[in-house]
């Protein structure tokens, strides 16, 4: 048995107790962020005309942002059957024009920054226009070929996803 003859032992005991309690966390209440693929799956449940299309990797991401500094963590696309794809011949699979895409970021600020960037580009070039909605750390990009009332389905779904 060790007997402490100074004030140092009680201080060490308190410090050890604080360290142990600070390290204890309850992970049962934290959920990992949704991936773009999971968000697209939720969209296809909420918008009946939407279908999952492409799940991107760092190798096939057309923007070369997936997993790169300042880029998104995941990206997936979807189609929407209300878009007349015959008039969009030659549009590559996964293009926003065919329905849309979801990009996920580390936080909501990342999604908002990307949306602001895209909207800045489309202001000067309406041909690149699209509907953009955030849902937490996800940016939902929707084809300009949908009428505003049709795109509103995605806006409603984004609000529902953000609400959890």
């Amino acid at each position: 048995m060790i007997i402490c003859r100074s004030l140092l032992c009680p201080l060490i005991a308190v410090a050890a107790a604080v360290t142990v309690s600070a390290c204890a966390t309850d992970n049962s209440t934290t959920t990992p962020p949704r991936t773009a693929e999971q968000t697209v799956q939720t969209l296809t449940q909420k918008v009946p005309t939407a279908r999952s299309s492409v799940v991107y990797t760092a190798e096939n991401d057309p923007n070369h942002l997936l997993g790169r500094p300042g880029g998104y963590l995941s990206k997936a696309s979807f189609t929407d059957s209300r878009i007349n794809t015959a008039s969009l011949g030659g549009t590559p699979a996964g293009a926003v024009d065919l329905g849309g895409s979801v990009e996920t970021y580390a936080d909501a600020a990342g999604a908002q920054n990307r949306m602001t960037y895209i909207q800045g580009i489309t202001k000067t070039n309406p041909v690149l226009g699209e509907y953009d909605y955030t849902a937490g750390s996800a940016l939902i990009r929707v084809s300009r070929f949908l009428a505003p009332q049709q795109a509103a389905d995605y806006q409603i779904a984004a609000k529902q996803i953000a609400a959890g």
Side-chain angles (χ1 to χ4, degrees):
M1 177 177 193
I2 299 174
I3 299 174
C4 209
R5 297 188 194 263
S6 70
L7 292 174
L8 188 56
C9 285
L11 290 175
I12 291 172
V14 169
V18 169
T19 302
V20 169
S21 66
C23 291
T25 58
D26 179 9
N27 290 332
S28 63
T29 59
T30 58
T31 56
R34 298 168 61 92
T35 65
E37 183 177 14
Q38 291 168 326
T39 302
V40 167
Q41 288 172 354
T42 301
L43 286 174
T44 63
Q45 293 167 358
K46 297 183 177 301
V47 181
T49 54
R51 296 287 174 265
S52 180
S53 179
V54 177
V55 177
Y56 291 94
T57 65
E59 291 76 31
N60 71 356
D61 174 27
N63 299 317
H64 306 289
L65 294 174
L66 182 58
R68 292 177 170 90
Y72 31 81
L73 302 176
S74 63
K75 179 176 175 147
S77 65
F78 56 91
T79 60
D80 191 301
S81 62
R82 297 173 291 184
I83 295 172
N84 179 4
T85 56
S87 65
L88 300 174
T91 303
V96 171
D97 283 349
L98 300 176
S101 70
V102 173
E103 302 168 356
T104 61
Y105 295 83
D107 54 30
Q112 184 63 48
N113 289 341
R114 173 77 166 150
M115 184 171 78
T116 301
Y117 170 77
I118 291 169
Q119 290 177 345
I121 291 171
T122 61
K123 274 185 186 176
T124 60
N125 192 346
V127 173
L128 300 174
E130 61 185 41
Y131 303 94
D132 298 312
Y133 310 107
T134 57
S137 63
L139 171 60
I140 301 169
R141 303 174 59 189
V142 179
S143 176
R144 65 189 169 97
F145 292 106
L146 290 172
Q149 302 86 347
Q150 295 170 323
D153 293 342
Y154 292 98
Q155 183 177 28
I156 292 165
K159 287 179 184 178
Q160 292 170 345
I161 290 168

